[in-house]
Amino acid sequence: MKLPILLIALVAMVAAKSAPGRMAARYDHFRIYQLTIETNLQMEELKKIHEHISIHFLNELGAIGHKYNVIVGPLFHRALEKTLKFLDIVFEVIVDDLQKLIDDSAVGNDSKMEWETYHSLDTIYEWIDQECAAHDYLECKVIGQSYEGRDIKSIRLSKRPGNKAIFLEGNIHAMEWISSATVTFLLNQLINSEDPEMQRLSEEYDWIVVPMVNPDGFVYTHEVERLWRKNRRPNGYRNESGDCFGIDMNRNFDYHWGGAGWNIDEPCDHWFGGEKPNTEVEIISLQNFVSSFEDGYIRSYMAYHAYGQYVLLPYGHSNTEFPPNYEQMKRIAAAFSDAAADVYGSTFTYGASGLLNYVVSGAAKDWAYGVKNIPFTCTVELRDKGTFGFFLPSNQITEVGLEVTAGLKALVNKAAEEGIFD
């Protein structure tokens, strides 16, 4: 087998699974460094840095001219900084103690669903069940089970026959807790808000929501390893640490699968896209669910991720190829960006993901556009731009929800103006 070039064995990580609610892996005094990569030589050297320093990359390494965040334990702080200075790589310590940041964003009062703290899968699912029981315009289904047998739940809000639908997807990446928090915030607004505009949107459009695509990985981030990204299926490979688990499910969709992306072919790495497309039961369940609706019904597909504050449009597999209605999609994305910024000043950059972010294949938004012919699809990368990154404190959940709600209102209205729902 091909051995991974980025197997991260971080100091002080405990591999054994602990009791629910308690982290096995701890990151006391681990730092997050933000690196600015300006030359190709710096990028090539950064890709090799794991050979002598234990390091965890939080972002896929792509184009130069971007900032990349890495986690390094206390034993390697000095070695990393010495290496970075030698390479003339500009760096900044943005988090001095990762464990404190993780503790600050941990699950708080989990007795009932609200949006001031992060919640466990059980609490999220209990809230979904309660809302489904309380409203006859909600159709709730289990669209499949995960590898470990957990339900993947969906909610379809439909108050009027003949509506076109908008699809919201959350937490395909396990560590991105703000994703499902935001998707459930939006769903709650559609169900319970007294805002006339939200009420109108819930009347004039159907809404299909899958808040938790990756329940196994999500539970794993709560109980064992906060930094876990993939699902939890053993993928058949091993390295010096033992069996390798998981597929990056947002690299596993069968649309230009495997054509681009850093380390998508490294089985033990965070971004492994699988040996072939459509290998994961969670992805098959999601695709079958989308395909169960008649063609032309779903007119927008939005996947929510962290982080970076982007509205990423197709395509991801190329930075030179663009969709036929790319200019139209940019106008719609611009409406989201402008409206979201009006709330707290958060700026969302918009454009093709392969152009703005990095080239990568097999993402959900590209499959929804390229295979299902849904005319507006995007990945919304939520707060922030890297200060907290994947560990956004829970006191920002409501702010994120409010700015994304404002953005969503404007996006839907602009999409309607552009004829997306015709």
Side-chain angles (χ1 to χ4, degrees):
M1 59 170 277
K2 184 178 180 183
L3 291 176
I5 64 170
L6 183 61
L7 174 67
I8 309 303
L10 292 175
V11 178
M13 182 178 295
V14 181
K17 184 174 181 178
S18 66
R22 180 182 177 189
M23 289 290 177
R26 291 191 61 85
Y27 296 93
D28 298 282
H29 308 297
F30 278 64
R31 290 177 177 172
I32 299 181
Y33 289 81
Q34 187 170 84
L35 318 180
T36 302
I37 305 302
E38 299 172 330
T39 69
N40 289 322
L41 176 61
Q42 289 175 341
M43 178 61 72
E44 291 307 310
E45 292 299 321
L46 181 60
K47 290 177 179 179
K48 298 186 291 186
I49 203 168
H50 69 281
E51 295 173 0
H52 63 281
I53 294 174
S54 184
I55 188 169
H56 182 114
F57 288 86
L58 286 173
N59 323 95
E60 293 103 317
L61 299 185
I64 62 173
H66 290 269
K67 297 181 185 295
Y68 297 93
N69 289 1
V70 300
I71 298 172
V72 176
L75 294 179
F76 293 96
H77 292 168
R78 183 176 298 178
L80 175 69
E81 292 178 12
K82 182 178 180 180
T83 301
L84 295 176
K85 290 175 181 177
F86 176 77
L87 295 171
D88 289 327
I89 294 176
V90 176
F91 68 90
E92 177 185 4
V93 177
I94 59 173
V95 173
D96 196 56
D97 188 343
L98 176 56
Q99 188 60 46
K100 184 179 185 303
L101 183 58
I102 290 173
D103 292 341
D104 288 345
S105 64
V107 170
N109 180 5
D110 204 32
S111 60
K112 69 174 184 177
M113 189 71 171
E114 40 68 48
W115 289 270
E116 299 295 334
T117 187
Y118 292 107
H119 294 288
S120 65
L121 181 68
D122 287 345
T123 296
I124 295 170
Y125 275 4
E126 286 170 9
W127 174 76
I128 290 172
D129 293 343
Q130 290 167 4
E131 293 296 325
C132 290
H135 304 283
D136 59 6
Y137 56 81
L138 297 179
E139 179 185 11
C140 300
K141 292 181 177 180
V142 173
I143 66 171
Q145 274 76 38
S146 65
Y147 173 79
E148 293 180 341
R150 294 183 176 89
D151 287 346
I152 303 171
K153 295 191 175 185
S154 70
I155 308 95
R156 177 174 172 262
L157 184 159
S158 182
K159 295 183 177 179
R160 190 178 70 181
N163 286 345
K164 298 296 186 180
I166 299 164
F167 197 105
L168 309 180
E169 167 230 293
N171 246 127
I172 199 170
H173 288 147
M175 68 193 297
E176 298 172 9
W177 290 4
I178 190 61
S179 170
S180 55
T182 301
V183 170
T184 53
F185 185 99
L186 294 173
L187 179 61
N188 186 57
Q189 292 291 301
L190 289 163
I191 296 171
N192 296 312
S193 175
E194 297 180 357
D195 173 22
E197 181 66 0
M198 289 305 290
Q199 291 179 346
R200 182 185 69 81
L201 293 180
S202 73
E203 292 279 352
E204 295 185 2
Y205 302 94
D206 289 359
W207 297 82
I208 306 168
V209 184
V210 180
M212 185 64 60
V213 179
N214 186 4
D216 294 348
F218 185 74
V219 170
Y220 194 76
T221 63
H222 282 260
E223 297 182 358
V224 181
E225 171 53 79
R226 179 65 180 86
L227 274 60
W228 192 256
R229 175 182 174 91
K230 302 181 287 184
N231 67 354
R232 289 296 301 162
R233 180 178 69 83
N235 62 34
Y237 288 86
R238 291 177 58 85
N239 59 26
E240 58 267 32
S241 298
D243 291 337
C244 300
F245 288 79
I247 305 296
D248 183 338
M249 295 193 290
N250 206 42
R251 306 289 180 269
N252 193 239
F253 287 81
D254 192 8
Y255 185 75
H256 288 269
W257 172 87
W262 186 60
N263 277 9
I264 59 172
D265 58 349
E266 298 294 341
C268 302
D269 211 349
H270 310 291
W271 301 284
F272 180 46
E275 291 188 325
K276 58 184 179 180
N278 291 347
T279 57
E280 305 313 294
V281 63
E282 298 91 343
I283 295 305
I284 296 301
S285 296
L286 181 66
Q287 291 182 357
N288 288 344
F289 181 55
V290 172
S291 298
S292 70
F293 299 101
E294 65 181 13
D295 292 345
Y297 171 60
I298 300 173
R299 306 299 289 169
S300 176
Y301 185 109
M302 286 176 268
Y304 287 83
H305 286 250
Y307 57 91
Q309 295 173 203
Y310 291 99
V311 183
L312 299 175
L313 305 171
Y315 299 114
H317 66 271
S318 172
N319 56 18
T320 58
E321 180 184 354
F322 302 94
N325 67 328
Y326 180 55
E327 294 302 321
Q328 179 191 55
M329 286 199 286
K330 283 204 298 183
R331 292 191 294 271
I332 296 168
F336 178 100
S337 179
D338 292 344
D342 286 342
V343 183
Y344 295 107
S346 301
T347 56
F348 285 78
T349 306
Y350 55 90
S353 60
L355 188 65
L356 290 183
N357 212 357
Y358 44 80
V359 177
V360 68
S361 300
K365 74 174 188 319
D366 289 349
W367 172 84
Y369 183 86
V371 175
K372 300 308 298 180
N373 299 313
I374 297 172
F376 180 84
T377 71
C378 69
T379 296
V380 179
E381 297 280 1
L382 301 162
R383 284 194 193 180
D384 53 12
K385 290 183 177 291
T387 301
F388 298 110
F390 295 118
F391 316 105
L392 193 75
S394 57
N395 61 13
Q396 295 193 38
I397 295 172
T398 296
E399 287 190 4
V400 172
L402 291 172
E403 68 192 9
V404 172
T405 299
L408 183 64
K409 292 178 189 177
L411 183 152
V412 174
N413 290 334
K414 184 63 175 177
E417 179 186 315
E418 291 280 346
I420 291 294
F421 300 105
D422 293 346

